[in-house]
């Protein structure tokens, strides 16, 4: 009917809820409804994990490929396990031992994987934005970001939300202190979107050299978006005061060489979450760490393995949440998404 | 079917279950989410009333076992909650409507992943015909011949805030 004019696509937001989402790249485009759907589905998956025979036939005949350009244990293994428990076929590709070593471009690699029949490609890449580039260049396969540069790590943030929800019964209203190297942390970034969307109060804490400028200067408060309510402090005692959840981040040891820290010893003295400091948080506050931990630097061994530590539960929940993501994505892909 | 009809059908099915299984020993009820669960609870309440013995009730979600996940948009999955072993038990699956038989096929797969029951029986409130698999019910509240395009709605207080069974031609709804 309409001739001679462009049809402008309406700016619709894709969602797992109505089956229109094809990729999970970050949580900045997740609605609260969508987050809740993932958490509810994860509950069902956790029940499967608790069975004697941990396997359901749901994704039989589907192919999940993990394509990791950066080291990972828990993310890769838990995606692999998630796929296998749902009966998908899981293929692991790492940059060493594949054509990537021969210099194959990212574009050709992912297009090859799509052509071999991959339904979902879970990827980790040292460069921020790489999964977005993949998603733009794939017609049928889904892309799940398993961590890109400093940018995003959505499945980690979802498993953190799930752990908080399970343990505290709610995320809304919880006070969450994220402590450490915020600037270089994709975990912190995705958690910021997820936690604020879910209505948690977030406090960011770290040395000024490791806090992003816009938060240090407070310009995020004028943003009008969900991040406006985020508090920022350089004093760990202040961040911990009354916290429901304490989340020290892994201090990447190369940051000292970059001149951002005087010494690791000074960092641990000023910012380590230890038993004495943890007393400032609410009694029974959850201690969460995305791993791998540097015990004795950002977290004391006593706290890392103490009664309040959620570290192993996070890993366990991570499998359930990733099962939920794979299930919801592969179901969605059939619903006629371009 | 009115609320009264439903109540009577459930009472009769409870008697039939007891008769067939000679009492409550090794008997367990498993309701298929969503509406099979409240129906299973009611059957258990009747059985308690008639025999003075409680029977365990579990909830089964079949979302992960459906064979149509890739045909339609995927169903929302909920947790299964069967807090007792099903091994060597006489399990009565309870659902609201028996139609193509595909949900029951999925439910049997889900159940056998949890253990090895001695027998699996099926109780439904309504059998509307149009089977696509060789499955039949052991206990039926009411046989309702329907046309394929018609829709059967079972309403239970716990889920829908009302009681009764209605047939509507597709698209109408109530």
């Amino acid at each position: 009917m309409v001739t001679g004019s462009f049809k402008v696509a309406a700016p619709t937001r894709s969602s797992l809820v109505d089956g229109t989402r094809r990729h999970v790249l970050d949580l900045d485009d997740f609605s609260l409804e969508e987050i809740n759907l993932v958490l509810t589905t994860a509950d069902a998956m956790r029940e499967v994990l608790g069975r004697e025979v941990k396997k359901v036939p749901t994704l039989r005949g589907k192919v999940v490929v993990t394509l990791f350009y950066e080291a990972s244990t828990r993310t890769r293994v838990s995606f692999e396990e998630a796929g296998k428990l749902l009966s998908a076929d899981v293929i692991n590709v790492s940059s060493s031992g594949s054509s990537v070593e021969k210099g194959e471009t990212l574009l050709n690699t992912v297009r090859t994987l799509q052509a071999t029949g991959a339904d979902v490609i879970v990827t980790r890449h040292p460069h921020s934005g790489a999964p977005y580039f993949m998603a733009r260049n794939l017609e049928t396969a889904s892309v799940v970001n398993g961590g890109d540069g400093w940018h995003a790590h959505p499945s980690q943030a979802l498993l953190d939300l799930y752990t908080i929800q399970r343990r505290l019964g709610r995320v809304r209203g919880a006070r969450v202190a994220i402590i450490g190297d915020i600037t270089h942390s994709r975990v912190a970034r995705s958690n910021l979107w997820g936690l604020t969307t879910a209505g948690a109060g977030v406090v960011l804490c770290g040395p000024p050299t490791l806090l992003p400028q816009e938060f240090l200067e407070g310009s995020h408060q004028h943003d009008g978006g969900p991040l406006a309510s985020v508090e920022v402090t350089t004093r760990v005692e202040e961040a911990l005061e009354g916290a429901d959840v304490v989340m020290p981040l892994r201090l990447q040891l190369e940051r000292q060489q970059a001149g951002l820290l005087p010494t690791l010893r000074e960092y641990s003295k000023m910012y380590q979450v230890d038993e004495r400091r943890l007393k400032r948080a609410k009694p029974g506050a959850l201690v969460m760490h995305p791993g791998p931990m540097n015990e004795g630097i950002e977290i004391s061994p006593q706290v890392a393995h103490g009664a309040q530590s959620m570290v192993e539960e996070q890993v366990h929940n991570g499998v359930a949440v990733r099962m939920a993501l794979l299930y919801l994505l592969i179901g969605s892909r059939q619903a006629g998404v371009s | 079917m009115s609320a009264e009809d439903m109540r009577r059908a459930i009472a009769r099915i409870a008697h039939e279950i007891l008769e067939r299984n000679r009492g409550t020993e090794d008997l367990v009820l498993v309701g298929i989410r969503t509406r099979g669960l409240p129906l299973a609870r009611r059957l258990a309440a009747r059985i308690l009333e008639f025999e003075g013995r409680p029977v365990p009730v579990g909830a089964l979600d079949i979302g992960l076992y459906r064979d149509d996940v890739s045909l339609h948009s995927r169903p929302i999955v909920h947790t299964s909650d069967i807090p007792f072993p099903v091994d060597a038990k006489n399990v009565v699956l309870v659902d609201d409507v028996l139609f193509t038989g595909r949900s029951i096929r999925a439910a049997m797969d889900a159940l056998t992943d949890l253990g090895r029951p001695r027998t699996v029986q099926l109780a439904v409130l309504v059998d509307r015909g149009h089977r696509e698999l060789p499955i039949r019910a052991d206990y039926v509240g009411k046989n309702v011949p329907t046309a394929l395009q018609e829709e059967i709605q079972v309403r239970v207080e716990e889920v829908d805030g009302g009681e009764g069974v209605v047939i509507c031609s597709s698209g109408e709804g109530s």
Side-chain angles (χ1 to χ4, degrees):
Chain A
M1 261 180 41
V2 183
T3 51
S5 69
F6 289 106
K7 192 181 168 201
V8 181
T12 50
R13 185 159 157 168
S14 67
S15 168
L16 291 170
V17 177
D18 57 9
T20 53
R21 174 184 290 282
R22 186 147 63 92
H23 309 291
V24 175
L25 302 173
D26 195 359
L27 295 190
D28 57 352
D29 63 348
F30 264 65
S31 64
L32 178 59
E33 201 187 1
E34 220 174 350
I35 289 174
N36 285 335
L37 175 64
V38 174
L39 303 192
T40 312
T41 309
D43 259 337
M45 301 303 177
R46 209 175 184 278
E47 184 263 317
V48 174
L49 281 178
R51 294 183 189 172
E52 208 167 302
V53 179
K54 308 190 280 281
K55 191 147 188 131
V56 289
T58 319
L59 299 185
R60 228 172 10 186
K62 304 294 177 189
V63 177
V64 175
V65 176
T66 67
L67 173 65
F68 276 53
Y69 287 87
E70 209 182 73
S72 162
T73 305
R74 64 208 76 215
T75 303
R76 200 196 57 71
V77 169
S78 60
F79 266 114
E80 180 176 354
E81 193 179 338
K84 286 183 168 166
L85 299 188
L86 290 170
S87 298
D89 292 302
V90 183
I91 297 162
N92 298 308
V93 181
S94 61
S95 44
S96 63
S98 67
S99 313
V100 173
E101 274 191 334
K102 300 181 187 168
E104 185 171 48
T105 63
L106 186 59
L107 178 61
N108 288 341
T109 303
V110 293
R111 292 200 59 85
T112 302
L113 294 176
Q114 177 176 261
T116 60
D119 292 288
V120 178
I121 298 173
V122 181
T123 192
R124 170 169 292 185
H125 201 282
H127 293 163
S128 299
Y132 289 76
F133 171 79
M134 298 180 193
R136 270 199 306 278
N137 288 287
L138 295 174
E139 295 78 29
T140 57
S142 291
V143 176
V144 176
N145 184 358
D148 63 328
W150 302 348
H151 173 249
H153 194 350
S155 66
Q156 176 70 41
L158 286 167
L159 79 88
D160 288 338
L161 286 169
Y162 182 58
T163 305
I164 296 169
Q165 166 89 41
R166 270 189 64 83
R167 281 299 175 133
L168 301 181
R170 67 193 160 84
V171 179
R172 179 161 301 282
R175 182 175 162 90
V176 182
I178 306 179
I179 299 155
D181 182 0
I182 309 294
T183 301
H184 305 96
S185 173
R186 55 192 173 211
V187 174
R189 280 195 177 70
S190 284
N191 256 312
L192 266 176
W193 291 115
L195 286 166
T196 52
T197 302
V202 181
V203 192
L204 297 179
C205 172
T209 48
L210 297 178
L211 283 169
Q213 270 306 314
E214 55 272 33
F215 284 105
L216 257 185
E217 290 163 0
S219 57
H220 68 283
Q221 291 164 3
H222 315 299
D223 185 49
L227 302 186
S229 65
V230 171
E231 293 172 45
V232 182
T233 174
T234 55
R235 295 192 51 240
V236 70
E237 288 78 10
E238 205 174 292
L240 287 172
E241 203 64 56
D244 297 285
V245 178
V246 180
M247 200 184 286
L249 300 171
R250 186 169 75 91
L251 186 74
Q252 284 152 319
L253 303 176
E254 59 272 22
R255 301 293 167 233
Q256 197 201 331
Q257 273 104 57
L260 295 170
L261 289 172
T263 64
L264 288 178
R265 199 157 155 260
E266 181 175 319
Y267 178 83
S268 62
K269 214 169 137 192
M270 292 187 65
Y271 289 98
Q272 184 181 94
V273 176
D274 58 18
E275 285 177 308
R276 183 178 51 86
R277 287 191 173 127
L278 189 56
K279 289 202 176 79
R280 291 177 178 265
K282 290 219 183 103
L286 312 178
V287 177
M288 298 178 34
H289 192 296
M293 295 187 280
N294 296 309
E295 291 178 32
I297 298 180
E298 72 267 5
I299 187 167
S300 76
Q302 292 78 14
V303 171
H305 302 285
Q308 287 165 261
S309 170
M310 294 293 116
V311 173
E312 281 175 27
E313 176 150 348
Q314 283 174 276
V315 177
H316 185 71
N317 288 342
V319 179
V321 164
R322 286 166 179 134
M323 287 169 82
L325 280 179
L326 292 179
Y327 169 72
L328 292 169
L329 270 182
I330 290 183
S332 305
R333 279 180 4 88
Q334 317 299 329
V337 195
S338 63
Chain B
M1 236 175 147
S2 68
E4 268 301 278
D5 296 334
M6 269 173 71
R7 193 182 58 74
R8 289 195 193 98
I10 288 167
R12 174 176 50 77
I13 293 173
H15 279 300
E16 286 174 3
I17 290 172
L18 287 168
E19 189 181 10
R20 162 94 65 103
N21 294 281
R22 301 202 173 96
T24 56
E25 193 160 341
D26 289 334
L27 183 67
V28 300
L29 304 180
V30 171
I32 299 174
R33 286 189 195 273
T34 309
R35 289 179 185 75
L37 180 58
L39 294 175
R41 292 213 177 98
R42 285 180 208 189
L43 281 171
R46 281 292 109 105
I47 289 171
L48 178 64
E49 196 177 302
F50 301 150
E51 296 283 297
R53 288 166 179 275
V55 288
V57 178
L60 193 65
D61 190 276
I62 59 165
L64 297 173
Y65 291 86
R66 294 173 66 110
D67 59 4
D68 55 358
V69 171
S70 20
L71 290 180
H72 314 290
S73 63
R74 70 278 173 279
I76 294 178
V77 290
H78 298 280
T79 49
S80 289
D81 181 17
I82 302 185
F84 45 81
V86 296
D87 290 302
K89 298 285 190 228
N90 296 311
V91 178
V92 180
L93 283 173
V94 184
D95 205 357
D96 54 351
V97 180
L98 178 57
F99 182 24
T100 61
R102 287 178 193 273
S103 314
I104 304 304
R105 200 268 323 148
M108 286 195 287
D109 282 355
L111 195 61
T112 46
D113 268 3
L114 299 174
R116 186 179 184 281
R118 185 191 302 150
T119 62
V120 180
Q121 302 161 28
L122 174 61
V124 297
L125 187 62
V126 175
D127 182 348
R128 62 166 294 189
H130 303 288
R131 215 75 77 238
E132 294 171 4
L133 295 170
I135 281 170
R136 56 156 184 77
D138 301 274
Y139 314 100
V140 179
K142 192 174 175 60
N143 280 297
V144 182
T146 57
L148 255 181
Q149 60 272 19
E150 284 172 325
E151 224 176 278
I152 290 260
Q153 285 195 345
V154 170
R155 295 163 57 80
V156 290
E157 193 66 51
E158 295 89 326
V159 182
D160 313 286
E163 292 271 315
V165 180
V166 288
I167 308 178
C168 30
S169 36
S170 101
E172 264 180 41
S174 64

